Each structure stands twice: as C-alpha cells, then as structure tokens.
Amino acid sequence: MYKQIKDKLTGDLLPIIQRVSDGAGIPFDPDNTDYQAFLLWKSEGNTPQPADEVTQ
Amino acid sequence: MSYGQVNADVIGTSVAGSNLGAGNASIMKNRLINGDFKISQYNGTSSVTPTSSGYQIDRWNFQLSQSSKYSLQQNAGSVTPPVGFANYLGITSLSAYTVGASEQFGVFQAIEGFNTADLGWGTANAKTVTLSFQVYSSLTGTFGGSIRNSGTSRSYPFSYSISVANTWTSISITIAGDTSGTWVGATNGIGLYLTFGFGVGSTLSGTAGSWSGNNYISATGATSVVGTNGATFYITGVQLEVGSSATGFEYRQYGQELALCQRYYQYIQTSASNDRLMVGNSYNSTITTFIYSYKVTMRSAPTVAVPNLGAVLNENVAWYIPTSYTVSATNVNNAIIAANLSSSGFGTNNFAWWGQTGSSVLTVTVSAEL
C-alpha cells in the first residue's frame, strides 16, 4: 500500500510516494528498485491513497 | 637500472615475470564488494530467517521461493575462518526441503555496470574473468552457481566440488567472457549477477561451463543445501577479477569497504542520549523539517526510512517525541524529512535538532540497492 505526498507550502503533489507499511519515502526515480516495485503494484490495477490535505 | 613497461592494461615491473594490471592490479581488482562479508549493516551479527527475498548482509541479496527454509548469519556456527579472513557468510538449512523445478534458493550480488563495463562482455573483446572463493560445508559433492546479465537472457552456470566436509576449500573458476548478448555498460544499472545456489530447480539449472541464452541460476545436478535439515554452507573471500587465474584476495580497509557498501545502503543510528543526527527548523508546532545528508553519494535517489523516531529538541530547551515522519524529497546526496509532532512548544522557524533522548533512539535507513 502506498500514499501520495503533498508539498505543505504549495499543496502540489510531490514526486515521491510513501510506503504505508513503514512510512518510507520512495522517489520517482526509475533506477530505484522500490519505485520499480511501486510501478509494478500500480500496473496490477492498484491505486495509492490520496495525500493528506495541507493545512496552514 | 631497469624500468617497467606500460601497455594497455598491464604495467610491467623491473622484476622478471611480475606485472601489475590484467588481474594483478591491487585497485579495483575485485569487482565484488564485501566479498569477505565484513560489513553487516542490515543485521549485524544476528541470525536471520528470511521469509522473502532481499538484502540481509551488505551487497548480498538472498533469494528464496519458499519462506524460512534457511537461516543466515555473519560467522554462523563460529567456525574458524580461513587464514586471512575474520568473517564469512553462514547458511544453515532449517528443513529437508525438496526444491521444485522452478524454485530457487541462493544468494546473489548484482555488480553495478560502472564496475563491469571494461569487461567488454557482449563484444568480440570480452575479457576472461576468474571467480575465486573459500567454502566450507557439512555436505560434500558438486555445488553450483552462475553469472548472468541484467536481463537474465545470458547465463554461465558454474560448478565446483567440495570433497571434504567441514573444511575450508579454495575454489577457482575461470570464465571466458561472453561475446554475445546484451550487457549493461558504464551505467548505474546492473552489470552482472553472480549467484551461489543453495538449492535450485531443474528448470533454472543448466550445463556448467558454457554460456547459454537461458536464465540459469545454477548448474545441473548441484547439491541442494536446503535439501538436508541442519546442513551448513559457509563462504568468504569471494573475488571476481579479470584474468585467467586467481590471485590473492583484494583486502580493503574497513572504512573503504564500508563506504563502498554505503553507496547502496546506509544504516545510521544514534548511540547515546543527546546524540543528534540532523538539524532543521520548525514549520509550525506539529511539523519540524530537517535535511539529512548521506555518508556517501548514493547509486540513485534512494528510499529513505526512519524506523526509530528518536526525539526532536527545540532550541536546546525541550525534547519532543514524534508520532510519525514524512520524507518530502530525496536525491543522491540528501533527503528532506519532517518529524510530525502531536503537540510541542515549537513556534514557527525555531531551530531544532533531531536525535536521541534517553532510550528513544533515532535510526535512518537509506537504500539504493540494485
């Protein structure tokens, strides 16, 4: 399971995904094997949880 | 006085028959990292029974088609390592498992393309390499492994014999470089896989001693370590070098080997109360943001985790225990990590430390494994 992350200043989605099981941050880097695992998970029809809304 | 002669990759010396290079150089002779298993950031000296495939000791990735069929440990069994070594990888079989045709148990090291590109594999100029190691097992017989390309469309199964049980045996295997197939060049991708099998099914096993267009992980007929309950398999001094004969193991300084491993994985933890790993500042009373610089430049932008949250110190006045963390950026040099607090005495833009108070340790892991 994965979760999107938003920039707390702009509210924009960041190019990083959070692995829910341990909170790890996984960058959108095709050379990163955890990102490759995320892409595989997504290709199987899964959808990451939406990011928390940013509160000022 | 005579002087040496310099050729393309060989430096002759004034001593007859003595050369540097072409397998005798002492720098980057061994294309493997942690071939003597002295670096163990993942599990230290603890025994681990893996339930899924993955890295358990630096640079070595353990494969298993079924969970909990073997345990692994740095210096398992506490036997005396071979002369010149202090550490080894120890595998212990936990059952008498019959390996299925498409199943595999073993350990591999994926060598980065930057460190194999000069081998010229996949070209007519492919260089010969020699694999050498020391092995010790409660079993005797023929064992196996392989070298594969990143796409696993080329493989070279190899076999070796252990004729005396529970005795360190030196093995040397010379492999003519592959002139076919696609091999990754000078990139941060996988240059080649070197695998040692602990039990590999027939579909994934091939004839030893020649290149194949199949994904062979081991040699046909190799002994299955996981097939015998309590069987042990220990290995160290693993070296892969250019040339047609094995030379002495390339010893590296501890700090040098650790830094080589840290390009792929870093485990950093505070060791005492008041230790601090990061400085940052507060965004508001519940979010404090830090920059974390890695020990060495990573192979690629890494995955960053904080398995132990430690504590955040506000302006050197009071410690607060985070409830969670968020990684908002990570590149090959550093990461930006937020410590999330349920409440604190932080205002906006207060100076902050992230570290340990009391027994609340802070641990950061950074992974860019192949």
Side-chain angles (χ1 to χ4, degrees), chain B residues 194-234:
Chain B
L194 167 67
T195 302
F196 293 97
F198 310 147
V200 178
S202 57
T203 305
L204 297 171
S205 299
T207 303
S210 62
W211 286 103
S212 162
N214 297 313
N215 178 23
Y216 290 141
I217 292 169
S218 187
T220 301
T223 301
S224 170
V225 177
V226 299
T228 301
N229 190 23
T232 55
F233 178 90
Y234 305 156

Side-chain angles (χ1 to χ4, degrees), chain B:
Chain B
M1 180 176 190
S2 62
Y3 294 91
Q5 178 180 357
V6 178
N7 296 318
D9 57 357
V10 178
I11 302 172
T13 73
S14 59
V15 178
S18 174
N19 295 316
L20 299 176
N24 295 304
S26 61
I27 297 174
M28 200 181 152
K29 180 173 74 171
N30 191 358
R31 305 312 170 97
L32 296 160
I33 297 172
N34 205 24
D36 54 357
F37 300 95
K38 65 173 169 255
I39 307 297
S40 184
Q41 294 184 89
Y42 284 92
N43 295 296
T45 56
S46 300
S47 177
V48 178
T49 300
T51 56
S52 60
S53 297
Y55 287 89
Q56 299 290 351
I57 188 165
D58 286 76
R59 300 304 303 123
W60 294 96
N61 189 317
F62 293 80
Q63 297 294 296
L64 50 151
S65 296
Q66 300 286 336
S67 69
S68 307
K69 298 303 178 192
Y70 64 81
S71 63
L72 65 97
Q73 184 179 17
Q74 184 192 49
N75 292 8
S78 300
V79 302
T80 302
V83 173
F85 295 94
N87 303 106
Y88 59 87
L89 165 67
I91 302 295
T92 304
S93 173
L94 300 178
S95 66
Y97 183 71
T98 301
V99 178
S102 299
E103 292 185 328
Q104 57 156 319
F105 300 85
V107 61
F108 73 72
Q109 181 165 145
I111 305 176
E112 191 172 344
F114 284 126
N115 300 330
T116 60
D118 66 298
L119 300 180
W121 288 9
T123 76
N125 298 315
K127 292 181 181 175
T128 294
V129 297
T130 296
L131 172 67
S132 57
F133 52 94
Q134 309 246 2
V135 65
Y136 176 117
S137 177
S138 62
L139 305 173
T140 58
T142 301
F143 296 74
S146 77
I147 287 179
R148 291 175 291 164
N149 66 352
S150 60
T152 67
S153 58
R154 299 291 296 170
S155 61
Y156 184 99
F158 60 80
S159 66
Y160 57 95
S161 294
I162 300 176
S163 56
V164 182
N166 298 324
T167 302
W168 287 105
T169 303
S170 295
I171 305 292
S172 172
I173 300 164
T174 296
I175 299 169
D178 189 15
T179 55
S180 301
T182 300
W183 294 82
V184 165
T187 76
N188 64 349
I190 294 171
L192 64 83
Y193 292 101
L194 167 67
T195 302
F196 293 97
F198 310 147
V200 178
S202 57
T203 305
L204 297 171
S205 299
T207 303
S210 62
W211 286 103
S212 162
N214 297 313
N215 178 23
Y216 290 141
I217 292 169
S218 187
T220 301
T223 301
S224 170
V225 177
V226 299
T228 301
N229 190 23
T232 55
F233 178 90
Y234 305 156
I235 188 169
T236 193
V238 188
Q239 178 158 281
L240 183 71
E241 62 188 299
V242 173
S244 55
S245 62
T247 63
F249 184 78
E250 180 189 356
Y251 295 102
R252 299 181 186 124
Q253 293 185 21
Y254 184 89
Q256 189 182 12
E257 197 80 44
L258 175 62
L260 292 175
C261 292
Q262 287 177 327
R263 175 171 170 79
Y264 306 91
Y265 180 76
Q266 299 181 19
Y267 180 98
I268 306 298
Q269 181 169 283
T270 54
S271 56
S273 189
N274 283 318
D275 276 1
R276 298 151 200 198
L277 295 184
M278 293 178 245
V279 293
N281 73 332
S282 59
Y283 177 71
N284 56 31
S285 64
T286 60
I287 300 174
T288 307
T289 304
F290 299 85
I291 186 163
Y292 181 72
S293 295
Y294 314 139
K295 302 304 175 189
V296 302
T297 301
M298 304 300 293
R299 179 190 66 86
S300 65
T303 298
V304 177
V306 186
N308 295 300
L309 292 169
V312 174
L313 178 59
N314 176 6
E315 306 269 11
N316 288 322
V317 174
W319 289 93
Y320 299 92
I321 305 295
T323 55
S324 64
Y325 71 98
T326 305
V327 180
S328 59
T330 161
N331 59 43
V332 296
N333 295 308
N334 54 55
I336 297 174
I337 313 172
N340 303 317
L341 306 162
S342 58
S343 65
S344 74
F346 279 103
T348 300
N349 284 327
N350 290 166
F351 176 78
W353 295 98
W354 198 355
Q356 174 179 344
T357 184
S359 60
S360 297
V361 299
L362 173 62
T363 309
V364 181
T365 64
V366 182
S367 176
E369 293 282 15
L370 283 162

